[in-house]
């Protein structure tokens, strides 16, 4: 042991430990720098949605404060008001590159978990639409009751997918399994927004009453001639 200590002492004059670099200036500059623009869009979107939805709420607006925290949980659906919206096309075009698949095929072709409401069961038809460059589809639509009830599912966390223009029916906050959701109580214009952010006017149509909610990271919009209580019950049964 004495020999080892002596050898280490003999080596010490040859060892050089560099001084710790001073990173104070760089840290301060990083803190002072504004946040990257790409991260700010979420706050702008939240503010925009709040502004758009405030005018649609019934007089009991106290629920707004509770709902704002979860506002982006149904991102992908933008609700706007318009004094004189253009009438929907008589025969709206299908969504971009729309295909009919089986439920199992659709679950393989989309990049999000595609859940089914137990209250409705297996859909009569499944449509997928708007594939990206890899072939993964952006929207899956489950059709029931001869197509009069429609459940659209999509990952709406990145950008808008549907644009709703509300003039007549009421719009209110509701709860689905204790989570925030939006109920549109009557017919309204519905337009699809493609991946480039272009509103596709040719797909515009008059939508029935609609419930919008989020489940397992996926946005759902249940549309049909359904009373609010039944729509909420169907949404709560998603598995």
């Amino acid at each position: 042991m004495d020999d080892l200590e002596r050898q280490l002492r003999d080596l010490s004059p040859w060892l050089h430990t560099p001084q710790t670099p001073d990173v104070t200036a760089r840290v301060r500059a990083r803190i002072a720098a504004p946040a990257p623009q790409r991260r700010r869009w979420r706050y702008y979107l939240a503010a925009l949605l709040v502004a758009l939805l405030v005018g649609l709420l019934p007089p009991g607006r106290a629920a707004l404060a509770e709902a704002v925290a979860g506002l982006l949980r149904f991102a992908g659906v933008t609700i706007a008001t318009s004094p004189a919206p253009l009438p929907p096309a008589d025969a709206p075009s299908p969504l971009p590159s729309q295909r009919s698949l089986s439920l199992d095929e659709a679950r393989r072709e989309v990049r999000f978990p595609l859940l089914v409401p137990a209250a409705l069961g297996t859909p009569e038809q499944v449509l997928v639409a708007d594939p990206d460059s890899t072939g993964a589809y952006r929207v899956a639509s489950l059709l029931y009751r001869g197509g009069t009830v429609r459940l659209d599912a999509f990952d709406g966390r990145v950008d808008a997918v549907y644009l709703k223009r509300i003039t007549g029916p009421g719009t209110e906050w509701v709860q689905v399994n204790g989570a925030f959701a939006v109920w549109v109580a009557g017919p309204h214009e519905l337009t699809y927004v493609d991946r480039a952010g272009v509103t596709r006017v040719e797909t515009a149509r008059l939508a029935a009453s609609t419930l919008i909610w989020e489940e397992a990271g996926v946005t759902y919009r249940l549309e049909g001639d359904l009373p609010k209580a039944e729509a909420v019950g169907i949404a709560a049964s998603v598995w």
Side-chain angles (χ1 to χ4, degrees), residues 101-151:
L101 300 175
S102 70
L103 180 59
D104 288 340
E105 289 172 332
R107 282 174 166 154
R108 292 194 294 268
E109 295 293 335
V110 299
R111 293 188 181 275
F112 51 82
L114 181 56
L115 306 181
V116 174
L120 292 176
T122 303
E124 297 164 10
Q125 185 179 13
V126 180
L127 303 174
V128 294
D130 207 355
D132 62 17
S133 58
T134 68
Y137 287 87
R138 187 186 191 200
V139 177
S141 301
L142 313 182
L143 305 184
Y144 299 88
R145 303 176 187 176
T148 60
V149 174
R150 178 188 185 107
L151 178 63

Side-chain angles (χ1 to χ4, degrees), residues 163-219:
L163 170 62
K164 290 178 176 291
R165 295 195 181 277
I166 314 295
T167 53
T171 301
E172 61 181 295
W173 312 112
V174 295
Q175 295 283 320
V176 173
N177 286 335
F180 169 68
V182 171
W183 169 250
V184 182
H188 54 280
E189 184 183 352
L190 178 67
T191 307
Y192 186 75
V193 183
D194 65 19
R195 288 180 179 276
V198 177
T199 301
R200 301 178 67 96
V201 179
E202 71 276 9
T203 65
R205 62 183 177 84
L206 198 62
S209 299
T210 303
L211 178 68
I212 305 162
W213 79 99
E214 185 269 342
E215 178 77 23
V218 180
T219 302

Side-chain angles (χ1 to χ4, degrees), residues 60-111:
R61 300 187 180 186
L64 176 62
E66 299 175 4
V68 167
L71 194 56
L72 292 180
R73 293 170 61 187
F74 76 103
V77 177
T78 300
I79 301 176
T81 58
S82 174
L86 295 174
D90 293 335
S93 301
L95 301 187
S97 303
Q98 184 169 280
R99 295 177 56 200
S100 179
L101 300 175
S102 70
L103 180 59
D104 288 340
E105 289 172 332
R107 282 174 166 154
R108 292 194 294 268
E109 295 293 335
V110 299
R111 293 188 181 275

